[in-house]
Amino acid sequence: MDLQEAKKESLVQSEGIITRGEVEKPPKTIGTFGILSASFNILNTWFGLGSTLVLGFANGGPVTIVYGLILISVIYGATALSLAELSARYPTAGGQYHWTSVLAPKRISRGLSYACGSVNAIGRVTICASVTVVVAHFTLGIVSYYNDSYVIRQWHVFLLYQVLNIVVLLYDIFILQQTPWTHDVAFIVSIVSFITITITCLAVANPKQPSGNIWGGFINETGWSNKGIVFLTGLVNPNYGFAGLDGAIHLAEDCLDAARTVPLATIFSLVIGVITAFFFAVAMLYCISDIRAVLSTRTGVPLYEIFAQATDSRVATTVFMVLMTSVAFLTLLGSVLAASRITWAFARDDALIWSKYIKKIDPKRDVPVWALLFNALWILIIGCIYLGSTTGKPLVLDAYLRYLQLDADSLLLAFNTIVGSGLLVEQVSFAFPAALLMWQRRAPQFLPRKGRYNLGKAGWLVNSIVIGWTCLVLVFYSFPTVKPVTAGNMSKWYNYTPYTEPV
């Protein structure tokens, strides 16, 4: 299908942005540094990896965390290049599903575009839910650390989760559009926090783990005899740090000079994310002196215990956790913003229920209020599944051995599966346009003019990596991480729910 056929599908291209017909658009308020900052804040790889660092210990330990991060960095480097190439040609809030509509054969264009848009929107919302959970646990962990009589309960996490959902919703509706510098501040806070925490912990930690344990230690407590399976299923930990790689793409219609700045922001956030995540992960591994204490911490936040072991100071430990919580909250602000834009774009193509409302831009606030409300509703529902999981059983990460033996209830597993599926469906959305671009033989009319973002022949390799990785994770990320397999652990491949007491 060439561009003329694409136009017959009623796609209008104006200044590089494709939409279906004439629609309301948000004002362009984000400049070059703003989109670079926003993209990094949505990704925040070092925070994402650090918040789920404990997940890698059972499935390969340091080998999975360190070398898995290197592998994921290469794969997501290819993904970032693939996304940057198309975003330079078609900078649009719809991103992957708009590209799918242009690239797909006419007879199946609508169906494939709808499928891609659906998984992309679902992925963005579930990632928002997972970040909200992390912020809630970090906050309650600080309370627990300073109050020995306080016991974290599931309904506490649920209430704080919903409060955060409402606070972020109100901020994105009433404040964020008038304060675009929020992204710049968030970027500075994240980088300063990373430097402060990493250098301090590494400098004062005593004793430190031997280098042999960091660079060659392999831990397998999963029951799987095949080390390859252990390693591949454990990649969820470093992979989570790259959730949200397409954040800048969905902000394209808020940006000035989007065809130039959006692909730059996508690559920039990936590069800075890899560097910060690698140094943070290695530093934290060196700082662990008692792994059982990390896994059984009463705060429910393993990273809290790592800070405590490294600094041997309650004040320094809490300051670091406040910084991490602040970074997590700012990441949540950006994630919700990006999710609202893909929902809004999907609605303006009449692909959602209540589309005539969701696609509207509020004339006073210049934001898609109904898209934000729609996403907040789904985040609320996912949180209700968490509350419904209370059956009197202790949750995972109470202690490492208890984690391996635990049969969690079905509703808890449903919550973890819904949240963790964000990684899978997001990756699938990346594969749609990559596969279709190869099907179109990477024809020049679908690529940017020759320049920094036109991959040329290397594009074949880059697109192939994206497609191949998608096929791989669809299989191995669905494997149970523990054997023997039971109904209780079949969906435990993504199970970041720190210890809380039953109600």
Side-chain angles (χ1 to χ4, degrees), residues 147 210 295 303 420 461:
N147 187 348
L295 293 164
L303 202 57
L461 175 61

Side-chain angles (χ1 to χ4, degrees), residues 13 24 37 46 77 173 331 493-494:
Q13 184 172 339
E24 303 173 47
S37 299
W46 74 276
I173 290 176
T331 298
W493 67 270
Y494 179 85

Side-chain angles (χ1 to χ4, degrees), residues 10-172:
S10 301
L11 289 172
V12 177
Q13 184 172 339
S14 176
E15 297 179 355
I17 297 177
I18 54 175
T19 60
R20 188 174 297 279
E22 295 299 325
V23 296
E24 303 173 47
K25 298 177 183 178
K28 296 181 181 296
T29 58
I30 304 179
T32 300
F33 187 73
I35 190 60
L36 293 176
S37 299
S39 181
F40 176 81
N41 296 333
I42 294 168
L43 195 62
N44 249 324
T45 305
W46 74 276
F47 150 73
L49 183 140
S51 65
T52 58
L53 191 64
V54 70
L55 294 176
F57 282 111
N59 294 67
V63 166
T64 296
I65 295 170
V66 175
Y67 298 107
L69 177 58
I70 295 173
L71 174 62
I72 293 294
S73 298
V74 173
I75 292 168
Y76 269 75
T79 304
L81 290 173
S82 177
L83 295 174
E85 185 177 46
L86 284 169
S87 65
R89 181 68 177 89
Y90 305 109
T92 163
Q96 297 93 299
Y97 92 83
H98 270 160
W99 305 337
T100 298
S101 180
V102 171
L103 294 166
K106 181 178 179 181
R107 66 183 181 279
I108 58 173
S109 174
R110 290 173 63 86
L112 287 182
S113 179
Y114 181 80
C116 182
S118 296
V119 297
N120 195 191
I122 292 169
R124 293 305 321 168
V125 171
T126 53
I127 288 170
C128 289
S130 69
V131 178
T132 309
V133 169
V134 172
V135 178
H137 281 305
F138 278 10
T139 305
L140 293 177
I142 295 173
V143 176
S144 176
Y145 189 70
Y146 275 95
N147 187 348
D148 293 337
S149 63
Y150 174 66
V151 178
I152 302 173
R153 300 185 185 277
Q154 286 174 261
W155 64 271
H156 298 172
V157 179
F158 169 80
L159 289 178
L160 184 53
Y161 172 98
Q162 300 299 359
V163 168
L164 286 166
N165 186 24
I166 295 171
V167 169
V168 172
L169 171 67
L170 295 176
Y171 189 92
D172 277 4

